Amino acid sequence: MPERATATMTDTAKQRIFAMLDRDGDGAISRTEYLERVDRAAAAMGRGADDPVVHTARAAHEEVFADMDADHDGRVTFEEYRTWAGHDAFERSCRPALGSLFDVADRDGDGRLTREEFTRLRVASSNAEADAGQAFDDLDTDGDGLVERDDYLAGIHDYVTIGSSPMAAAYRTLPALGRTPSRHR
């Protein structure tokens, strides 16, 4: 694939994820907006704030937000996010944070999510239920009704870095916000 096409696909993926994280649509991700994603996932899975898994997820998300907020003003603009997001940032801070959200959803701690757990996590992350279902089907390549932690994280990594993966289906619409991702922010 030509380099320019990859860059365009990656920008589209970044725009979609940014729009999902910018819950109020004001053009910036606040620290509160970003950390609320842990609270929403915990609530969706019936976990309290005092749960050690939730505490670990919150700490991991604090680190990601600090890493994304290049000018340390408590807000991440699309340009900051766009500059930050990619393979290195994913490996440095996103993998642990997204893995911690997976762990919040993985009620039995077996490293795999059922369709129900996956869907609850993705809907709590502002994905449409139908889109989450399609992403689950695309990630469940062996048809056993489970998505492995590594496959989940690889799917998000590939979506952010190359713009294509089984997780792409999860980012088609943003139902909780009643809007589709903006092409320009």
Side-chain angles (χ1 to χ4, degrees):
M1 178 175 294
E3 186 174 324
R4 182 159 171 76
T6 301
T8 301
M9 288 171 54
T10 301
D11 280 351
T12 299
K14 289 177 184 178
Q15 289 164 344
R16 289 180 178 272
I17 291 171
F18 182 86
M20 181 184 75
L21 297 173
D22 178 17
R23 302 262 312 163
D24 63 11
D26 70 352
I29 305 164
S30 71
R31 180 179 172 276
T32 300
E33 282 174 311
Y34 192 71
L35 295 178
E36 283 175 347
R37 69 192 307 226
V38 175
D39 301 335
R40 287 189 311 275
M45 301 313 294
R47 292 185 184 260
D50 59 339
D51 187 310
V53 175
V54 174
H55 178 73
T56 298
R58 184 170 270 286
H61 280 74
E62 288 273 10
E63 288 183 30
V64 172
F65 190 82
D67 199 28
M68 285 191 300
D69 187 11
D71 62 7
H72 310 290
D73 67 351
R75 295 169 39 90
V76 176
T77 65
F78 178 69
E79 286 309 312
E80 281 176 298
Y81 180 79
R82 181 184 201 208
T83 300
W84 172 83
H87 173 77
D88 292 342
F90 188 90
E91 294 303 324
R92 179 177 61 248
S93 59
C94 284
R95 182 177 295 280
L98 293 169
S100 72
L101 282 181
F102 184 99
D103 297 342
V104 166
D106 183 11
R107 293 295 298 174
D108 64 3
D110 68 353
R112 303 176 300 177
L113 296 182
T114 64
R115 175 180 291 279
E116 178 187 352
E117 290 168 329
F118 182 92
T119 301
R120 290 169 75 184
L121 172 61
R122 296 314 309 172
V123 169
S125 297
S126 302
N127 298 136
E129 189 170 339
D131 294 347
Q134 184 62 56
F136 182 90
D137 291 342
D138 293 347
L139 285 168
D140 181 18
T141 57
D142 63 4
D144 68 354
L146 299 166
V147 169
E148 306 284 330
R149 189 177 201 268
D150 289 343
D151 294 338
Y152 177 77
L153 294 173
I156 296 172
H157 172 272
D158 290 350
Y159 183 67
V160 172
T161 59
I162 62 173
S164 175
S165 88
M167 281 299 293
Y171 299 102
R172 286 189 291 211
T173 56
L174 304 174
L177 309 175
R179 61 190 168 100
T180 55
S182 172
R183 290 193 42 87
H184 301 288
R185 284 248 188 230

